[in-house]
Amino acid sequence: MKTRHGCTPARCPAAPAPDPTPCEGPHDAVTIVYRHGREVAGCVHHCARLLAGLEGARVHPFAPAAAATEVYLRARELPPYAWE
């Protein structure tokens, strides 16, 4: 996906560097909370991939219900570190 100026937009903060897949939707659709309290916002696609590989992580409780549900459903179908 390219912007109207021809440059590739930055990926969401939840997209791991080795994951080559593009973002889906807004870059702040959901926030993942790590087991130790660190938070990262991202698109539904990358948050699901991230959640699948993080033990004890969860979706922030104030995330929109539809986006949070989509992240949980996708994550449950993915292996940890799906991009490997």
Side-chain angles (χ1 to χ4, degrees):
M1 177 171 91
K2 294 193 176 208
T3 65
R4 65 184 180 140
H5 300 293
C7 58
T8 303
R11 294 179 349 136
C12 72
D19 184 346
T21 60
C23 290
E24 290 180 24
H27 288 192
D28 61 352
V30 178
T31 299
I32 298 295
V33 181
Y34 288 71
R35 175 176 37 186
H36 301 293
R38 178 177 172 239
E39 297 181 1
V40 63
C43 71
V44 169
H45 174 72
H46 287 116
C47 283
R49 290 168 75 90
L50 189 61
L51 185 63
L54 292 174
E55 187 176 322
R58 66 193 191 313
V59 174
H60 194 282
F62 295 120
T69 301
E70 183 67 20
V71 167
Y72 277 117
L73 291 174
R74 289 186 187 197
R76 138 181 138 169
E77 300 295 321
L78 292 169
Y81 311 105
W83 54 90
E84 292 181 344

